[in-house]
Amino acid sequence: MKFTAELLFLFCIGGLIMIVILKNNPEKRQLENLIQWLKSMNLDVHISVGAAHMILGLIGDTSSVDIDLIRALDIVEDVKRIQEPYKNANRKFHPDDTVIELENHVKIGDGSMQIFAGPCSVESRDQICFIAKSVKESGATILRGGAFKPRTSPYAFQGLGGQGIDLLLEAKKETGLPIVTEIMNITQLPLFEEIDIIQIGARNMQNFELLKEMGRSGKPVLLKRGLANTLEEFLMSAEYIMASGNEKVILCERGIRTFETATRNTLDLSAVPLLKQMSHLPVIVDPSHATGLSKLVKPMAMAAVACGVDGLMIEVHNDPPHALSDGKQSLTPEAFRDVSACVRQLAPLAFHW
Amino acid sequence: MKFTAELLFLFCIGGLIMIVILKNNPEKRQLENLIQWLKSMNLDVHISVGAAHMILGLIGDTSSVDIDLIRALDIVEDVKRIQEPYKNANRKFHPDDTVIELENHVKIGDGSMQIFAGPCSVESRDQICFIAKSVKESGATILRGGAFKPRTSPYAFQGLGGQGIDLLLEAKKETGLPIVTEIMNITQLPLFEEIDIIQIGARNMQNFELLKEMGRSGKPVLLKRGLANTLEEFLMSAEYIMASGNEKVILCERGIRTFETATRNTLDLSAVPLLKQMSHLPVIVDPSHATGLSKLVKPMAMAAVACGVDGLMIEVHNDPPHALSDGKQSLTPEAFRDVSACVRQLAPLAFHW
Amino acid sequence: MKFTAELLFLFCIGGLIMIVILKNNPEKRQLENLIQWLKSMNLDVHISVGAAHMILGLIGDTSSVDIDLIRALDIVEDVKRIQEPYKNANRKFHPDDTVIELENHVKIGDGSMQIFAGPCSVESRDQICFIAKSVKESGATILRGGAFKPRTSPYAFQGLGGQGIDLLLEAKKETGLPIVTEIMNITQLPLFEEIDIIQIGARNMQNFELLKEMGRSGKPVLLKRGLANTLEEFLMSAEYIMASGNEKVILCERGIRTFETATRNTLDLSAVPLLKQMSHLPVIVDPSHATGLSKLVKPMAMAAVACGVDGLMIEVHNDPPHALSDGKQSLTPEAFRDVSACVRQLAPLAFHW
Amino acid sequence: MKFTAELLFLFCIGGLIMIVILKNNPEKRQLENLIQWLKSMNLDVHISVGAAHMILGLIGDTSSVDIDLIRALDIVEDVKRIQEPYKNANRKFHPDDTVIELENHVKIGDGSMQIFAGPCSVESRDQICFIAKSVKESGATILRGGAFKPRTSPYAFQGLGGQGIDLLLEAKKETGLPIVTEIMNITQLPLFEEIDIIQIGARNMQNFELLKEMGRSGKPVLLKRGLANTLEEFLMSAEYIMASGNEKVILCERGIRTFETATRNTLDLSAVPLLKQMSHLPVIVDPSHATGLSKLVKPMAMAAVACGVDGLMIEVHNDPPHALSDGKQSLTPEAFRDVSACVRQLAPLAFHW
């Protein structure tokens, strides 16, 4: 009956627990090796033997257990994790909202609505400064702009690089707007010293080496959800940054890849309330990249605000006189002013947990 | 130069046009057969011959052309349709919003916010009448309830069938709320005579025989988007109903199937403004089925309203004293009252084309 | 300690079992109602109370339990089903392969390789008879052809209907090949009396009313996997047919919908060995519809054979002299002869459980 | 008529061409800017004006044109690329198969079947050398093993790093098998000097900085397809490496992410013949990671061979006495010997373009 008591016990301590269901008649030596290995990870192992199934209950911090490795054992039927695999990003262990404060008293995650706006790519001093002033007047609180651009084609414009970052900092000097821009490789980090928020793009959400580096940098990080990543994987990537010592992570939903071709990606807005419940980190939405259609930026921005985002990231393109203005994805400064106004009007009525 | 002039002409008449790009040196007889066949469909065929490619431009009502059949020809390189394949559902040919009027002056699509509420399944007279009264008090304008239930398992409850419909009609008598309920087969149609809106479930979105029958019925139809269907396919299914003579179609976004498992399906809210722009038909959203989580019904309902829906379909479950109340997906009457109030407050600020 | 013993017992009887994990401090009356309701389904309910969690273990035939309904309860944290929800289709309860015998000693599922070949649509007596003779000479054992065609567009050719079925039967008379053709609605059933195998198309995989009717018909049924359905849902649809008394179900993988646009659908070949292991039913593959590209039919047919299918369904189009021959998806009779020969050569080396 | 002649001309020169369809009445200055900008990219611009549409035909090397940027213009209705966006990887411009020769006369892409085998992670000298000898005896021609491991959880084993690479090189010394192992960051490159093939994992398929570095390295690169990337994007990533001067790229299909949960990913085998047709690069398949289930490795390996792969990547786990042997994904050395033998037997009958 000893096992029984322990098995009962398994279900009696909430939280930190994992259940390993073994196959019938596990090979004795393999079982001993498994138990020994589990105990070597500072886990209490509780065994229940039965006619058909043997079950191991693991007590302790199972977040550090490699569940795939256990599942991979030929004596294991299945593993059920009761505890989420993320700790630092988990609201259960950190009930209060994380608030990230930037220069000029800009706070992300305190219930205010922060609007990140700017061009897809920094093209010139005039362009970035013009847009910076324009979006600030319209209510933007953070300036976004691409210096290093991840492009599907090696023949497409790859961004101005370091020079683009210098131009962003000039725009910051002129407007006082904090800056967010994307990093693509560890080696670029020194260039980001004066940048307020470092962006990790969707394609790098699981570039784990880069995530660890972001953790060491200690700077606010804007982490974009990968095109095919679950919310759990998204939080695990945030966990990489946090586990390396940096709590300042902003989560950004920017659309996932589905069979639908009418939009570039499918904006998953239910991710907003879910992430806010699963984690204490701020959550923003990028309707420009998610839909790839400027005409959808306003309705999707409004929808995102209604379900409780902490901020929006909106693409605003160059000076209207320029020929390349008003892209399928970017808004003109005029259109942005309208979106910004409607969003600010809607914010007070938004949903919040 | 004659061909050239025609080729130019191809691009000069907007709208009704399709371009067929042929492979190099098409087999002469096959080409003649193709052209003859195209002309037999009352299409003007304009030919342009060049060194590398021959192109056919089709003028006329190409909506009746089976594009797959043309693509399937071995002399055809590609076919590009400039015109959408749907006509009756196309806003281009029908700029004004379609407004569907039910009893008691309930209008769907006129800019008002209609709330469809009720239980997943009709269980008893008391249950459905209790909920009907309760949701009406809370602001619902249409009563929903399942009599015939599509269930993945043959062993799961399949609904009360005809008796369920009688109970819905009793609830209508008591409350005056119009009724919407799902049909699963043509043979059930006689039972739906007094039903205000017939629902076609997501799994039947491409049950074309059923769609044709709905067209002949002349009754308002609530068409739910299939779990893996594009917006174009969605409108083509509406076209089936309309082509059979019934213009009263309500489109309902209820989530699509993706890799994400945190929600039952992924609610595709960008479908709302897109459908409103592509078509003149009313568009509603069902946050209960899309997310499968009651805690997400409120934020997603608010998001849907913000981006311009004509209505919401919300699952409200039985009298609270009942043991099975407040499911993961259904709201209690209390929770529904709150959602309804927040939604009505938000509606005046919503986005509209 | 009584509960403990029972909880242990839960894990000791393999197979028929489900575990219900309750939330903390469940409302007493709701709990009593739940237990009473579970017992009313002839389930033994074993309770284990603990400091953090209460667990119910269900013993009995849980395949008849509506797991969603239990999950939906507000006192329930989670439900874990150890037993698969399908019984009749489950190899665990039916270890031997199901073999379906048609006329002329054609057996599906006995380890032989059956090739279903024919045109997408029956167009004329000459066409279907020509193709029937041709594919028979090339090694086809079953004739396929569409009489009722599910088409995305109401304006596309919908098939010859009843006349098409008559023409198929004439081709059968001439060649002795058994016939498979698709049914789209219950009302069409009388026309299928002499048809050897009734096909349920992908779009109707969850047309549950039609599935039940197929069960009552007692005829061999070719069930195609839905574009967005999991293997478990696929087997649940087979279960619908079998639960209505018909064991003669053939499973057909025909591609699932993904983000990839290079092929019409993504052929999921790992479904073949998985389905063979999960179920005792025959499994075939349709490379023509899955890929939508004739050039991929041969390699995918060969791949399907290598991983252990019981048959292939291949589209072969009209007499070559005809202008519409050799579509993107269909093979010419010549190309089919080549595929058939390569497939027969490969079959003896194929994988089998 | 001048424009007409040019427009005709557009369709007469196959290959290098792109068509830009403008919106009605484009703003004159924007049009001039667009044309000027296009010409600045060394493109001939041919204009055709019509009543409803104006069309620009671009002649020249449009592979260097950023199609998204053009699409983004508000005066542009649509852009149709006739030419694929990849050049170096395109079989059209490079008809002959690329053959990559390693040490010991191992050739990939010459029609032979190369088997990459080894453990998921290098764990110790004994482990890797034992497996290396074992798989070599069983017919493996290349040794795989992970030194740097991309893990979803920061708490999971991250690999032995540089030490793991040293152990792989020892195993190479002992067996003569060429080595393939994954790089996760540019800074690790110096450690890979003696490695025969550098692997880019699925999560890094669009880590463009890393791809460029691989191009400069000049070493054979094994590029794994991203979980949510199209075949065109896959070839564009190969193009990044090739555009940086390295032609030695091996493409590896390893499953894509879909809604199906029965397998870890969905192995897209139709990608094999398609990639072989689209490109001249060698194509291999990794059934271990694609399915995540060891029981599916054999059938999927056989299916991959049947449809024409140049090689297979198979996970073989540690010395059997070890407790962690025979995972859900890995094969035992015995199981691998069987797979290897069946595959070699099947290879001569495989499909090839």
Side-chain angles (χ1 to χ4, degrees):
Chain A
M1 290 305 289
K2 176 177 150 301
F3 290 147
T4 320
E6 283 169 339
L7 178 56
L8 176 62
F9 179 59
L10 290 190
F11 295 98
C12 298
I13 58 151
L16 306 173
I17 176 167
M18 188 185 287
I19 296 172
V20 180
I21 302 169
L22 302 178
K23 289 183 185 152
N24 297 355
N25 319 316
E27 201 269 298
K28 191 168 174 315
R29 199 183 22 58
Q30 289 192 341
L31 176 60
E32 284 163 359
N33 292 346
L34 170 58
I35 292 170
Q36 188 178 1
W37 176 64
L38 290 169
K39 288 183 168 166
S40 72
M41 289 183 286
N42 300 316
L43 294 170
D44 289 350
V45 181
H46 298 259
I47 309 166
S48 295
V49 188
H53 283 296
M54 175 183 283
I55 283 136
L56 303 182
L58 311 186
I59 317 292
D61 178 2
T62 56
S63 68
S64 59
V65 176
D66 185 351
I67 190 163
D68 292 335
L69 207 50
I70 300 180
R71 268 224 189 77
L73 302 180
D74 60 350
I75 61 170
V76 172
E77 175 77 37
D78 197 4
V79 181
K80 299 197 180 305
R81 191 195 277 280
I82 312 297
Q83 171 201 42
E84 295 90 358
Y86 45 91
K87 275 184 309 185
N88 296 299
N90 197 333
R91 188 178 282 275
K92 274 191 193 156
F93 310 132
H94 185 318
D96 299 338
D97 289 332
T98 284
V99 178
I100 296 171
E101 181 156 9
L102 308 176
E103 289 183 31
N104 307 316
H105 318 300
V106 172
K107 289 181 183 170
I108 303 164
D110 68 341
S112 61
M113 172 64 48
Q114 300 303 333
I115 302 181
F116 302 56
C120 179
S121 303
V122 178
E123 294 172 17
S124 70
R125 192 189 185 297
D126 290 355
Q127 174 235 24
I128 192 62
C129 289
F130 170 89
I131 296 179
K133 284 179 208 147
S134 161
V135 297
K136 185 183 182 184
E137 283 165 16
S138 302
T141 51
I142 297 163
L143 178 65
R144 58 146 292 165
F148 297 95
K149 300 298 301 173
R151 305 304 308 274
T152 305
S153 168
Y155 309 117
F157 176 54
Q158 309 273 317
L160 294 180
Q163 186 200 342
I165 292 193
D166 295 338
L167 297 177
L168 282 166
L169 293 173
E170 288 196 44
K172 176 181 178 178
K173 245 189 247 94
E174 285 207 11
T175 60
L177 289 176
I179 303 291
V180 59
T181 190
E182 179 168 355
I183 192 169
M184 285 175 63
N185 193 283
I186 292 174
T187 58
Q188 298 161 351
L189 193 53
L191 295 166
F192 286 70
E193 207 156 281
E194 295 177 64
I195 296 301
D196 300 275
I197 305 175
I198 304 180
Q199 176 174 319
I200 301 295
R203 295 181 180 78
N204 279 322
M205 192 202 90
Q206 291 192 315
N207 181 340
F208 301 119
E209 294 298 307
L210 189 53
L211 296 177
K212 289 177 189 169
E213 205 59 43
M214 289 303 101
R216 286 185 282 269
S217 79
K219 275 188 163 304
V221 176
L222 175 64
L223 181 64
K224 289 198 148 191
R225 180 184 183 182
L227 267 73
N229 291 108
T230 63
L231 296 183
E232 183 172 296
E233 289 169 336
F234 192 15
L235 289 175
M236 287 310 290
S237 288
E239 190 78 12
Y240 255 96
I241 299 170
M242 300 172 89
S244 305
N246 182 358
E247 298 271 316
K248 309 201 205 75
V249 181
I250 303 158
L251 304 169
C252 180
E253 158 64 26
R254 45 82 68 231
I256 58 176
R257 188 158 265 187
T258 70
F259 61 83
E260 179 58 73
T261 54
T263 46
R264 181 199 289 149
N265 298 122
T266 297
L267 182 61
D268 177 14
L269 280 182
S270 47
V272 174
L274 271 176
L275 286 171
K276 294 294 288 183
Q277 189 200 35
M278 295 160 85
S279 176
H280 49 85
L281 298 171
V283 178
I284 73 170
V285 162
D286 178 345
S288 304
H289 283 80
T291 64
L293 299 167
S294 61
K295 66 186 177 188
L296 295 184
V297 170
K298 185 178 177 184
M300 290 303 100
M302 292 172 74
V305 168
C307 63
V309 289
D310 297 298
L312 292 168
M313 186 164 222
I314 294 176
E315 212 169 279
V316 178
H317 211 298
N318 311 26
D319 43 303
H322 189 296
L324 306 185
S325 68
D326 186 15
K328 264 216 170 63
Q329 174 174 305
S330 293
L331 298 181
T332 56
E334 292 65 35
F336 172 71
R337 185 174 306 120
D338 169 45
V339 173
S340 177
C342 292
V343 156
R344 299 252 174 239
Q345 187 184 27
L346 203 63
L349 298 178
F351 169 88
H352 289 297
W353 284 109
Chain B
M1 290 305 289
K2 175 177 150 300
F3 291 144
T4 320
E6 282 169 340
L7 179 56
L8 176 62
F9 179 59
L10 290 191
F11 295 98
C12 298
I13 59 151
L16 307 173
I17 176 167
M18 189 185 287
I19 296 171
V20 181
I21 303 169
L22 301 178
K23 289 182 184 154
N24 297 355
N25 318 316
E27 201 269 300
K28 191 171 175 313
R29 198 182 22 57
Q30 291 192 340
L31 177 60
E32 284 163 359
N33 291 346
L34 169 59
I35 292 171
Q36 187 177 4
W37 176 65
L38 290 169
K39 288 183 169 167
S40 73
M41 289 183 284
N42 301 315
L43 295 170
D44 289 349
V45 181
H46 297 259
I47 308 166
S48 296
V49 189
H53 283 296
M54 175 181 283
I55 282 136
L56 303 182
L58 311 187
I59 316 294
D61 178 2
T62 56
S63 69
S64 59
V65 176
D66 184 352
I67 192 163
D68 292 335
L69 206 49
I70 300 180
R71 270 224 187 76
L73 303 181
D74 61 349
I75 60 170
V76 171
E77 175 78 36
D78 198 5
V79 182
K80 300 201 180 300
R81 191 196 277 282
I82 312 298
Q83 171 201 41
E84 294 91 358
Y86 45 91
K87 276 184 307 184
N88 296 299
N90 197 331
R91 189 179 280 275
K92 273 190 194 158
F93 310 133
H94 185 318
D96 299 337
D97 288 332
T98 284
V99 178
I100 296 170
E101 180 156 11
L102 309 175
E103 290 182 30
N104 308 315
H105 317 299
V106 172
K107 289 182 183 171
I108 304 166
D110 68 341
S112 61
M113 173 63 49
Q114 301 302 332
I115 302 181
F116 302 56
C120 180
S121 303
V122 178
E123 293 171 16
S124 69
R125 190 188 187 297
D126 290 356
Q127 173 235 25
I128 191 64
C129 289
F130 170 87
I131 296 178
K133 285 177 208 149
S134 160
V135 297
K136 185 183 181 184
E137 282 164 17
S138 302
T141 51
I142 296 163
L143 177 65
R144 61 146 290 163
F148 296 95
K149 301 295 304 172
R151 305 304 307 274
T152 305
S153 168
Y155 310 116
F157 176 54
Q158 309 272 317
L160 293 180
Q163 186 200 340
I165 292 194
D166 295 339
L167 297 177
L168 282 166
L169 294 173
E170 286 195 46
K172 176 180 178 179
K173 244 189 247 94
E174 285 206 11
T175 59
L177 290 176
I179 302 292
V180 59
T181 191
E182 178 169 354
I183 193 169
M184 285 176 63
N185 193 282
I186 292 173
T187 58
Q188 298 162 351
L189 193 53
L191 295 166
F192 286 69
E193 207 157 281
E194 295 176 64
I195 295 301
D196 301 275
I197 304 175
I198 304 180
Q199 176 175 319
I200 301 294
R203 294 182 181 79
N204 279 321
M205 192 201 92
Q206 291 192 316
N207 182 340
F208 301 118
E209 294 297 308
L210 189 53
L211 296 176
K212 289 176 191 170
E213 204 61 42
M214 289 302 102
R216 286 185 282 269
S217 78
K219 277 186 162 303
V221 176
L222 175 65
L223 181 65
K224 289 196 147 191
R225 180 184 184 182
L227 267 72
N229 291 107
T230 63
L231 296 183
E232 182 172 296
E233 290 169 336
F234 192 16
L235 290 175
M236 288 309 290
S237 288
E239 189 78 12
Y240 255 97
I241 299 169
M242 301 173 89
S244 305
N246 182 358
E247 298 270 316
K248 309 200 205 75
V249 182
I250 302 158
L251 304 170
C252 180
E253 158 64 26
R254 44 84 67 230
I256 58 176
R257 188 159 263 187
T258 70
F259 60 83
E260 178 59 74
T261 54
T263 45
R264 182 198 289 150
N265 299 122
T266 297
L267 182 61
D268 177 14
L269 280 182
S270 48
V272 174
L274 271 175
L275 287 171
K276 294 293 290 182
Q277 189 200 34
M278 296 160 85
S279 176
H280 50 85
L281 298 171
V283 178
I284 73 170
V285 160
D286 177 345
S288 303
H289 283 80
T291 63
L293 299 167
S294 60
K295 66 186 178 189
L296 295 183
V297 171
K298 185 179 177 183
M300 290 302 99
M302 291 172 73
V305 168
C307 64
V309 289
D310 297 299
L312 292 168
M313 187 165 221
I314 295 176
E315 211 169 280
V316 178
H317 212 298
N318 311 25
D319 42 303
H322 189 298
L324 305 185
S325 66
D326 186 15
K328 268 219 166 60
Q329 173 175 305
S330 293
L331 297 181
T332 56
E334 292 65 37
F336 172 70
R337 183 174 309 121
D338 168 44
V339 173
S340 177
C342 292
V343 155
R344 299 250 173 242
Q345 189 184 27
L346 203 64
L349 299 178
F351 169 88
H352 290 295
W353 283 109
Chain C
M1 290 306 289
K2 175 176 152 300
F3 291 147
T4 319
E6 284 169 338
L7 179 55
L8 176 62
F9 180 59
L10 290 190
F11 295 97
C12 298
I13 58 151
L16 307 174
I17 177 169
M18 189 187 286
I19 296 172
V20 181
I21 302 169
L22 302 178
K23 289 182 183 154
N24 297 355
N25 319 317
E27 199 269 299
K28 192 171 173 314
R29 199 181 22 57
Q30 290 193 340
L31 177 60
E32 284 162 358
N33 292 345
L34 169 59
I35 292 171
Q36 186 178 3
W37 176 65
L38 290 169
K39 288 183 169 166
S40 73
M41 289 184 286
N42 301 315
L43 294 170
D44 289 349
V45 181
H46 297 259
I47 308 166
S48 295
V49 188
H53 283 296
M54 174 181 284
I55 283 137
L56 303 182
L58 311 186
I59 316 293
D61 178 3
T62 55
S63 68
S64 58
V65 175
D66 184 352
I67 192 164
D68 292 335
L69 206 49
I70 301 180
R71 269 222 189 77
L73 303 179
D74 62 349
I75 60 171
V76 172
E77 176 77 36
D78 198 5
V79 181
K80 298 200 181 303
R81 192 196 277 280
I82 312 297
Q83 171 200 41
E84 294 92 357
Y86 45 92
K87 275 184 309 183
N88 296 299
N90 197 332
R91 190 180 279 276
K92 274 190 193 157
F93 310 133
H94 185 319
D96 300 337
D97 289 331
T98 284
V99 178
I100 296 170
E101 181 157 9
L102 309 175
E103 289 182 31
N104 308 317
H105 318 300
V106 172
K107 289 181 183 169
I108 304 164
D110 67 341
S112 61
M113 173 63 48
Q114 301 302 333
I115 302 181
F116 302 57
C120 180
S121 304
V122 178
E123 293 172 17
S124 70
R125 191 188 185 298
D126 290 354
Q127 173 235 24
I128 192 64
C129 289
F130 169 87
I131 296 178
K133 285 178 208 148
S134 160
V135 297
K136 185 182 182 184
E137 283 164 17
S138 303
T141 51
I142 297 162
L143 178 65
R144 61 146 291 164
F148 296 96
K149 300 297 303 173
R151 305 303 308 273
T152 305
S153 168
Y155 309 116
F157 175 54
Q158 309 272 319
L160 293 180
Q163 187 201 341
I165 292 194
D166 295 339
L167 296 177
L168 282 166
L169 293 173
E170 286 195 45
K172 177 180 178 179
K173 242 188 249 94
E174 286 205 10
T175 59
L177 290 177
I179 303 291
V180 59
T181 191
E182 179 169 354
I183 193 169
M184 285 176 63
N185 192 281
I186 291 173
T187 59
Q188 299 161 352
L189 193 53
L191 295 166
F192 286 69
E193 207 156 280
E194 296 176 63
I195 295 300
D196 301 275
I197 305 175
I198 303 180
Q199 176 173 320
I200 301 295
R203 294 181 181 80
N204 278 322
M205 192 202 90
Q206 292 192 316
N207 181 340
F208 302 118
E209 294 297 306
L210 189 54
L211 295 176
K212 290 176 190 169
E213 203 60 42
M214 289 302 101
R216 286 185 282 270
S217 79
K219 277 188 163 303
V221 176
L222 176 65
L223 181 64
K224 289 197 148 191
R225 180 184 183 181
L227 268 72
N229 291 107
T230 63
L231 296 183
E232 183 172 297
E233 290 169 335
F234 192 15
L235 289 175
M236 288 309 290
S237 287
E239 190 77 12
Y240 255 97
I241 299 170
M242 300 172 90
S244 305
N246 182 359
E247 298 270 316
K248 309 201 206 73
V249 181
I250 303 158
L251 304 170
C252 180
E253 159 63 26
R254 45 83 67 229
I256 58 176
R257 188 159 265 187
T258 70
F259 60 83
E260 178 59 73
T261 54
T263 45
R264 182 198 289 147
N265 298 121
T266 297
L267 181 61
D268 177 13
L269 280 183
S270 48
V272 174
L274 270 176
L275 287 170
K276 294 293 289 183
Q277 189 200 34
M278 296 160 85
S279 175
H280 49 85
L281 297 172
V283 178
I284 73 170
V285 160
D286 177 345
S288 304
H289 283 79
T291 64
L293 298 167
S294 61
K295 66 186 177 188
L296 294 184
V297 171
K298 184 179 177 183
M300 290 303 99
M302 291 172 74
V305 168
C307 63
V309 288
D310 297 300
L312 292 168
M313 187 165 221
I314 294 176
E315 212 170 279
V316 178
H317 212 298
N318 313 25
D319 42 303
H322 189 298
L324 304 185
S325 67
D326 187 16
K328 267 219 168 59
Q329 174 175 305
S330 293
L331 298 181
T332 56
E334 292 64 37
F336 172 70
R337 184 174 307 122
D338 169 45
V339 173
S340 177
C342 293
V343 156
R344 299 253 173 237
Q345 188 184 27
L346 204 64
L349 299 179
F351 170 87
H352 289 296
W353 282 110
Chain D
M1 292 304 289
K2 174 176 154 299
F3 289 147
T4 321
E6 283 169 340
L7 179 55
L8 177 61
F9 179 60
L10 292 189
F11 295 99
C12 299
I13 58 151
L16 305 173
I17 176 168
M18 188 186 288
I19 296 171
V20 181
I21 302 168
L22 301 178
K23 291 186 183 147
N24 298 354
N25 318 316
E27 201 268 300
K28 191 170 172 316
R29 198 182 23 58
Q30 290 193 338
L31 177 60
E32 283 163 359
N33 290 346
L34 169 59
I35 292 171
Q36 188 177 1
W37 176 64
L38 290 169
K39 288 183 169 166
S40 73
M41 289 184 286
N42 301 314
L43 294 170
D44 288 349
V45 181
H46 298 259
I47 308 165
S48 296
V49 187
H53 283 295
M54 174 181 283
I55 282 134
L56 303 183
L58 311 186
I59 317 291
D61 178 2
T62 56
S63 68
S64 59
V65 175
D66 184 352
I67 191 164
D68 292 335
L69 207 49
I70 300 179
R71 269 222 189 77
L73 303 180
D74 61 350
I75 61 170
V76 171
E77 174 78 37
D78 198 4
V79 181
K80 298 198 181 304
R81 191 194 277 280
I82 311 297
Q83 171 200 41
E84 294 90 357
Y86 46 92
K87 273 184 310 184
N88 296 299
N90 197 333
R91 188 178 282 275
K92 274 192 193 154
F93 310 132
H94 185 319
D96 299 337
D97 288 332
T98 284
V99 177
I100 296 170
E101 181 157 10
L102 308 176
E103 290 183 31
N104 306 317
H105 317 301
V106 172
K107 289 182 183 172
I108 303 164
D110 68 340
S112 61
M113 172 64 47
Q114 300 302 332
I115 302 181
F116 303 56
C120 179
S121 304
V122 177
E123 293 172 18
S124 70
R125 189 188 188 298
D126 290 355
Q127 174 235 23
I128 192 63
C129 290
F130 169 88
I131 297 178
K133 285 177 207 147
S134 161
V135 297
K136 185 183 182 184
E137 283 164 17
S138 303
T141 50
I142 297 163
L143 178 64
R144 59 146 291 164
F148 296 96
K149 300 297 303 173
R151 305 304 308 273
T152 305
S153 168
Y155 309 115
F157 176 55
Q158 310 271 319
L160 294 180
Q163 187 201 341
I165 291 193
D166 295 338
L167 296 177
L168 282 166
L169 293 173
E170 287 195 45
K172 176 181 179 178
K173 245 190 245 94
E174 285 207 11
T175 59
L177 290 176
I179 303 291
V180 59
T181 191
E182 178 169 355
I183 192 169
M184 285 175 63
N185 193 282
I186 291 173
T187 58
Q188 298 161 352
L189 193 52
L191 295 165
F192 285 70
E193 206 156 282
E194 294 175 65
I195 296 300
D196 301 274
I197 305 174
I198 303 180
Q199 176 174 320
I200 301 295
R203 294 181 180 80
N204 278 323
M205 192 202 91
Q206 290 192 315
N207 182 339
F208 301 119
E209 293 298 307
L210 189 53
L211 296 177
K212 289 176 190 170
E213 204 59 42
M214 289 303 102
R216 286 185 282 269
S217 78
K219 276 186 164 304
V221 176
L222 176 64
L223 181 65
K224 288 197 149 192
R225 180 184 183 182
L227 267 72
N229 291 107
T230 62
L231 296 184
E232 183 172 295
E233 290 169 335
F234 192 15
L235 289 175
M236 288 309 290
S237 288
E239 190 77 10
Y240 255 96
I241 299 170
M242 299 172 90
S244 305
N246 182 358
E247 298 272 316
K248 308 200 206 76
V249 181
I250 302 158
L251 304 169
C252 181
E253 157 65 25
R254 45 82 68 233
I256 57 175
R257 188 159 264 187
T258 70
F259 61 83
E260 178 58 73
T261 54
T263 45
R264 182 198 290 149
N265 298 123
T266 298
L267 181 61
D268 177 13
L269 280 182
S270 48
V272 175
L274 271 175
L275 287 171
K276 294 293 289 182
Q277 189 199 34
M278 295 160 85
S279 176
H280 50 85
L281 297 172
V283 178
I284 73 170
V285 161
D286 178 346
S288 304
H289 284 80
T291 64
L293 299 168
S294 60
K295 65 186 177 189
L296 294 183
V297 171
K298 185 179 177 184
M300 290 302 100
M302 291 172 74
V305 168
C307 63
V309 289
D310 296 298
L312 292 168
M313 187 164 222
I314 295 176
E315 211 169 280
V316 178
H317 211 298
N318 310 27
D319 43 301
H322 189 298
L324 304 185
S325 66
D326 185 17
K328 266 218 169 61
Q329 174 175 303
S330 293
L331 297 180
T332 55
E334 292 65 36
F336 172 71
R337 185 174 308 122
D338 169 45
V339 173
S340 178
C342 292
V343 155
R344 299 253 174 237
Q345 188 184 29
L346 204 63
L349 299 179
F351 169 88
H352 289 296
W353 283 109

